Amino acid sequence: MSIMLMKILLSLIFLLSVLQNSDGQFEDYCVADEQTPDDQMVGAMNWACDNGANCSAIQENQACYLPNTLKDHASYAFNSYYQNMKHNGASCYFNSAAILSGLNPSHDSCKFEYIP
């Protein structure tokens, strides 16, 4: 058997073992859509904070207060709501103010929750 053929076979065996052990899931985070107008984003963020999101981390002097931008605070609120409520049928919509992302938006001491 040629060396090249052995390398191909070993690669295929490796890939099959990885795929077999994967459940096909990816971590999904709900983040603010940058194209959303500020007034719509504020309304959606306030709704999320009043309806199941834990928004304490985006308060002044807390872990996710900085950067102090509407997009960052809304992303944290949207994700908190989505993670807490997705198993009850909630979506990451917020009247088109949010989108799902496979990238973890956590930064520095600000950790975005992910619930499988």
Side-chain angles (χ1 to χ4, degrees):
M1 188 177 293
S2 74
I3 293 176
M4 183 60 127
L5 187 55
M6 282 186 71
K7 286 182 180 180
I8 292 171
L9 282 173
L10 288 174
S11 296
L12 285 173
I13 291 170
F14 173 76
L15 284 174
L16 288 173
S17 69
V18 168
L19 291 174
Q20 186 176 15
N21 292 328
S22 170
D23 61 3
Q25 296 292 320
F26 68 95
E27 291 184 0
D28 52 344
Y29 298 90
C30 184
V31 296
D33 185 342
E34 295 177 3
Q35 299 177 29
T36 304
D38 285 357
D39 59 333
Q40 185 178 342
M41 183 95 60
V42 168
M45 180 178 67
N46 289 339
W47 185 92
C49 289
D50 291 342
N51 288 281
N54 179 355
C55 295
S56 61
I58 57 176
Q59 302 305 310
E60 194 168 359
N61 297 319
Q62 297 303 311
C64 297
Y65 180 72
L66 296 176
N68 182 13
T69 68
L70 177 57
K71 179 189 170 291
D72 287 290
H73 287 187
S75 289
Y76 189 87
F78 295 161
N79 187 68
S80 177
Y81 175 87
Y82 176 67
Q83 297 300 330
N84 290 330
M85 306 300 281
K86 67 184 178 183
H87 294 294
N88 295 326
S91 68
C92 174
Y93 182 66
F94 299 97
N95 202 24
S96 295
I99 58 172
L100 282 176
S101 172
L103 300 176
N104 185 339
S106 298
H107 54 86
D108 303 318
S109 63
C110 181
K111 304 303 178 209
F112 278 56
E113 185 175 32
Y114 169 73
I115 299 172

